[in-house]
Amino acid sequence: MKKILIRAAAIITLLLLFLYAFLEFRQFRSYNIPIHANAGMIIKLNADAFIRTMIWDNGFNFTSRINRTGKKEKGKPIKTGLQIPANIFLHSVSSKNAGTFFCTLKIKNADAFKFYLETNYQIQLEQTENYFSGKKDNLTILFNKNYAAIAYSKINENVNDVLEDLLSGNNLLPINDLLIKKLKKKRNHITFVTKDALATFDFEGRKLFLNAVIRNSTELLVPETRKKRVFSSDACGSFYFNAKPSSSLFKPSYHFRKFSFESDSILKYWNGYADMELLGSVTQQ
């Protein structure tokens, strides 16, 4: 009996070590995805962290538990042709509008991805010598047999030059860049990083944890003595902001229906602290 327990413990240990090594390899490999050299802000979505949280909260059969309130139609699984990595990276580019974001994903099956776009999104694709291209509304997609480069832009601007760089391997961010090094140190659910700022988001049950560090900022003044009100343990949501933003971050005036107000008239009364607390319960039907 003792030998059986020792063997079982050894097998479980080996399986855990194999799982750990596999997840670490996925993390390492995910950073090989092309990111443009002129990236201003990078957002990392840790897919493995989201999956671990869903398993922890709902068990290994989390997909059926999440969909238990609705009717799930049985059918063949959707084949996107994409390979979902441990981390998905969205990034802006300094030469483009600040609201334009780019993403590169590894392709597992180019034909399946082409069929998925045409069938599910009715995107008309054009073929060139090096890649397929398509555009619908705010979305522009270029892809070849290796990668899909995607851009989302709220304004009408040319994004093909950046997408072509991502596919061809030109003007890419080196793996030893400072922004990449910052991202590698974080295993949070969501990480935002720029040259002077870093923010992380984590989900735990119904709670959202935010941590942000901003350096060398002339637009956001953080007081040396920080304060925070003690929130009620029964609160279903709480938020506090302990900083004084510069007026340059806001428009001179804002208009909403019949109402309008000047930014300066509000900022002059701002003493650097605000908080919000929601008490009671919320029922969703």
Side-chain angles (χ1 to χ4, degrees):
M1 183 67 180
K2 185 177 180 181
K3 291 183 178 180
I4 295 176
L5 292 176
I6 293 175
R7 289 177 181 176
I11 292 173
I12 293 173
T13 302
L14 288 174
L15 289 175
L16 291 175
L17 288 174
F18 174 78
L19 178 61
Y20 174 80
F22 172 72
L23 293 175
E24 286 299 308
F25 176 71
R26 275 176 53 81
Q27 287 287 329
F28 171 79
R29 187 174 59 178
S30 69
Y31 287 93
N32 293 326
I33 205 76
I35 298 176
H36 202 269
N38 296 328
M41 177 175 66
I42 304 177
I43 304 172
K44 182 181 76 171
L45 307 177
N46 191 335
D48 283 359
F50 277 104
I51 293 173
R52 283 196 299 269
T53 300
M54 287 188 286
I55 292 175
W56 181 264
D57 292 340
N58 302 285
F60 285 97
N61 196 23
F62 61 88
T63 53
S64 61
R65 292 197 62 181
I66 291 173
N67 296 325
R68 66 184 181 273
T69 56
K71 295 182 179 180
K72 182 179 178 181
E73 295 182 1
K74 294 183 178 181
K76 295 182 179 179
I78 299 175
K79 296 181 179 180
T80 64
L82 294 173
Q83 178 178 310
I84 304 302
N87 296 300
I88 299 174
F89 300 93
L90 309 175
H91 67 280
S92 62
V93 173
S94 57
S95 60
K96 303 299 179 183
N97 183 270
T100 299
F101 285 90
F102 299 86
C103 178
T104 312
L105 295 172
K106 180 72 175 175
I107 284 190
K108 183 165 58 176
N109 187 320
D111 291 333
F113 183 62
K114 178 176 179 292
F115 180 78
Y116 174 75
L117 292 177
E118 293 175 333
T119 305
N120 293 275
Y121 294 97
Q122 291 75 48
I123 296 179
Q124 300 296 324
L125 297 172
E126 297 181 1
Q127 184 175 7
T128 65
E129 183 179 354
N130 300 316
Y131 54 78
F132 286 91
S133 65
K135 180 177 176 61
K136 184 175 183 181
D137 299 330
N138 304 108
L139 204 64
T140 305
I141 300 175
L142 270 64
F143 69 93
N144 54 24
K145 63 180 181 179
N146 297 316
Y147 293 103
I150 305 168
Y152 175 84
S153 179
K154 292 183 178 180
I155 66 173
N156 186 20
E157 67 174 333
N158 178 33
V159 295
N160 283 9
D161 54 340
V162 175
L163 296 178
E164 289 174 358
D165 282 345
L166 293 173
L167 290 184
S168 62
N170 296 325
N171 301 318
L172 299 183
L173 202 66
I175 196 68
N176 60 349
D177 186 85
L178 180 61
L179 294 180
I180 300 297
K181 289 181 179 180
K182 289 181 179 180
L183 289 171
K184 284 184 175 181
K185 293 179 181 180
K186 300 298 178 182
R187 295 295 181 92
N188 307 80
H189 289 91
I190 304 175
T191 303
F192 292 74
V193 65
T194 66
K195 181 181 177 181
D196 297 318
L198 187 146
T200 60
F201 292 82
D202 283 298
F203 300 90
E204 184 179 318
R206 297 180 180 180
K207 297 179 180 179
L208 169 64
F209 296 91
L210 165 65
N211 182 44
V213 178
I214 301 175
R215 297 183 177 90
N216 303 324
S217 176
T218 59
E219 298 179 335
L220 192 63
L221 304 178
V222 180
E224 294 182 2
T225 303
R226 303 178 186 179
K227 56 184 177 180
K228 186 185 80 168
R229 183 169 61 88
V230 178
F231 295 107
S232 171
S233 59
D234 296 327
C236 62
S238 59
F239 167 83
Y240 79 95
F241 183 74
N242 192 187
K244 190 171 184 179
S246 169
S247 59
S248 61
L249 293 175
F250 304 93
K251 296 179 180 179
S253 61
Y254 290 87
H255 304 274
F256 178 71
R257 294 183 180 178
K258 296 181 180 180
F259 301 95
S260 63
F261 57 89
E262 304 293 326
S263 299
D264 291 341
S265 63
I266 295 180
L267 291 175
K268 69 179 181 180
Y269 296 108
W270 178 266
N271 62 2
Y273 180 84
D275 63 40
M276 179 178 68
E277 184 176 25
L278 299 176
L279 296 173
S281 60
V282 177
T283 303
Q284 182 178 356
Q285 297 181 345

